[in-house]
Amino acid sequence: MRRVTSITLISLFLIFSGRINAQELKFGHANIQEIMRAMPEFKEMQETMEAEYDKLENQLATMQEEYQKMEQDYLQNAETLGALERQQKEQQLMETSRKIQTFYQSSQENLSQKQQQLRQPIMEKLRDAIDEIGEEGGFIYIFAENSGATVYQSDQSIDVTEQVKNKLGIN
């Protein structure tokens, strides 16, 4: 009899504690893109990236102009050049073309690395603010609203976008 009473009491405790915990679960969501666009660090990153892109684009344009001049010079004088000289000019054109392609590819890689490098501290700061909001508000989860991962959002989910912005000192 004692065993049955103990089992019953434990069962009731688990059932009621489960109901209490289920009622206390808090879920939130935040519009990460909106928050990032409002962060001054993100705006600085964009300006830095645009300046870097412009610089590389100008270098590439200069290289392409030089190549076009070399090509025009070759085409205008090809008939008057000897076979060896023509072959050297053609080889020089191919090497210049390869250099331009290599420069373009390395520029793309460098831009990507630079963006990742600049974005990492911004994401860490954002993540820290969301973590603080989560801990302060007693949230179980805070989902990224526009990440594509949320398939259902209840009215009970709390939008913490403004709280995160306030934590970051932006609005």
Side-chain angles (χ1 to χ4, degrees):
M1 186 74 154
R2 237 180 178 182
R3 193 177 243 181
V4 173
T5 306
S6 296
I7 293 173
T8 304
L9 286 175
I10 292 172
S11 297
L12 288 173
F13 175 75
L14 291 174
I15 289 170
F16 285 117
S17 67
R19 285 186 183 165
I20 291 169
N21 285 339
Q23 290 173 354
E24 293 176 9
L25 295 180
K26 285 177 72 175
F27 295 91
H29 59 277
N31 187 329
I32 303 301
Q33 291 175 352
E34 177 184 329
I35 296 168
M36 282 185 63
R37 281 192 303 265
M39 292 176 72
E41 297 90 344
F42 185 75
K43 292 173 184 173
E44 289 173 18
M45 180 193 80
Q46 284 182 312
E47 291 170 1
T48 300
M49 291 305 299
E50 285 175 19
E52 190 70 22
Y53 176 80
D54 289 345
K55 182 180 87 172
L56 293 172
E57 188 176 45
N58 288 336
Q59 288 177 335
L60 184 62
T62 301
M63 292 172 78
Q64 287 174 331
E65 287 174 15
E66 290 174 8
Y67 175 80
Q68 288 174 348
K69 286 178 186 175
M70 287 174 58
E71 185 179 44
Q72 284 177 346
D73 182 54
Y74 169 76
L75 292 173
Q76 288 174 349
N77 299 316
E79 293 177 13
T80 61
L81 298 174
L84 181 61
E85 202 175 3
R86 189 178 313 144
Q87 185 180 14
Q88 288 174 339
K89 294 273 186 187
E90 289 171 356
Q91 189 171 0
Q92 189 179 19
L93 282 169
M94 287 190 310
E95 286 176 22
T96 303
S97 177
R98 264 188 253 123
K99 284 180 184 178
I100 291 171
Q101 289 174 352
T102 302
F103 177 79
Y104 176 78
Q105 290 170 346
S106 68
S107 295
Q108 295 300 313
E109 291 170 11
N110 291 341
L111 284 172
S112 179
Q113 288 173 354
K114 179 107 175 160
Q115 185 175 22
Q116 266 184 304
Q117 178 185 18
L118 294 173
R119 189 179 198 127
Q120 184 178 359
I122 295 169
M123 293 303 295
E124 287 174 7
K125 183 176 181 180
L126 177 58
R127 196 168 320 139
D128 290 345
I130 291 172
D131 287 348
E132 288 178 27
I133 294 297
E135 288 177 22
E136 291 169 4
F139 289 93
I140 301 298
Y141 287 101
I142 295 178
F143 297 97
E145 183 177 287
N146 40 3
S147 69
T150 307
V151 291
Y152 172 75
Q153 180 177 317
S154 164
D155 291 340
Q156 295 175 353
S157 177
I158 300 166
D159 187 352
V160 297
T161 302
E162 292 304 316
Q163 290 174 312
V164 175
K165 284 181 173 181
N166 289 336
K167 181 65 70 177
L168 291 168
I170 53 178
N171 261 344

